[in-house]
Amino acid sequence: MLFNRHKTSLVPADQALPGRAAPGFTLSEPHTVLGHPLTGPYPDGFEVADFGLGCFWGAERTFWRLPGVWTTLVGYQGGHTPNPTYEEVCSGLTGHTEAVRVVFDPAVISYERLLKTFWEAHDPTQGNRQGNDVGTQYRSAAYTHSPAQAATATATRDAFQPALTALGLGPITTEIAPAGPFFPAEPYHQQYLSDAKNPNGYCGLGGTGASCPIGVARTGAQG
């Protein structure tokens, strides 16, 4: 079956669902925890980072807890289908991964520090899955917004690999690529694990226990 095959292998662009010209919703409410707008405008000088690390509910919560993070939102990235629905993404027929967008103040927290959290919060060696969550929508990804971010993502990946190898884990499978369109997820997914929505909600996100060194493999450029 096409559906089952593309749960664990990326769908080609010519077989992806057609999508739609615009989403069927708006994100008008502020961040449930941080109180700031989800889709902007963002303060001058702030930067954007996009990560995929499994189910985006727990991923988003991991980042909104960090000092210097101004807002977060979850969505779909890295695929072919414009403005997909959650159900379409879960079918494997859009090519997207579940992603979290992090808007941060680089004067307070660096992109490198966000990457440390990213690498340590999940197992980046599992391919198209994260624990019991199986499918291309759970693949690990870092979508970059500048050459400096790309260099830093690559350097921290390479610095983290020996720690994973020491634990008997395989090579990192994380997709590092320039950020393409980010399609926000439906309102009910935003800050899903906040106390205001689902304080006891499910989160299957888990790291390997390995520590990612930062400030070791310098790229000469900052994100």
Side-chain angles (χ1 to χ4, degrees):
M1 292 289 289
L2 185 66
F3 171 84
N4 289 329
R5 185 173 82 246
H6 289 306
K7 286 290 287 182
T8 54
S9 61
L10 282 171
V11 64
D14 62 355
Q15 296 180 28
L17 297 174
R20 54 203 53 81
F25 59 86
T26 59
L27 295 179
S28 57
E29 297 298 320
H31 195 286
T32 307
V33 178
L34 301 176
H36 298 140
L38 299 184
T39 58
Y42 304 135
D44 291 343
F46 282 25
E47 297 181 15
V48 173
D50 295 331
F51 302 109
L53 54 156
C55 176
F56 52 21
W57 295 342
E60 184 184 22
R61 181 175 62 182
T62 296
F63 286 104
W64 82 51
R65 291 172 166 172
L66 297 177
V69 170
W70 192 78
T71 199
T72 58
L73 68 156
V74 297
Y76 314 115
Q77 201 167 15
H80 310 295
T81 301
N83 297 295
T85 66
Y86 179 67
E87 290 74 17
E88 289 172 342
V89 171
C90 289
S91 77
L93 296 175
T94 74
H96 294 92
T97 190
E98 294 188 16
V100 56
R101 171 156 287 184
V102 182
V103 180
F104 65 102
D105 181 353
V108 178
I109 189 169
S110 67
Y111 180 64
E112 188 180 44
R113 179 63 183 81
L114 293 177
L115 281 162
K116 178 177 174 65
T117 296
F118 165 70
W119 294 120
E120 293 179 357
H122 74 303
D123 182 348
T125 72
Q126 292 194 318
N128 292 316
R129 67 178 299 164
Q130 201 57 215
N132 292 327
D133 293 329
V134 179
T136 55
Q137 76 271 26
Y138 299 118
R139 71 186 185 273
S140 175
Y143 296 118
T144 60
H145 289 264
S146 68
Q149 283 195 358
T152 304
T154 300
T156 55
R157 178 199 63 194
D158 295 345
F160 193 37
Q161 183 64 66
L164 297 173
T165 302
L167 292 177
L169 298 173
I172 291 172
T173 60
T174 301
E175 176 186 6
I176 299 175
F182 180 96
F183 299 104
E186 294 82 347
Y188 74 93
H189 287 298
Q190 306 298 332
Q191 298 87 63
Y192 183 85
L193 294 181
S194 66
D195 289 344
K197 289 189 174 181
N198 292 286
N200 298 312
Y202 165 78
C203 173
L205 193 65
T208 62
S211 177
C212 177
I214 61 174
V216 178
R218 288 295 182 184
T219 65
Q222 296 298 310

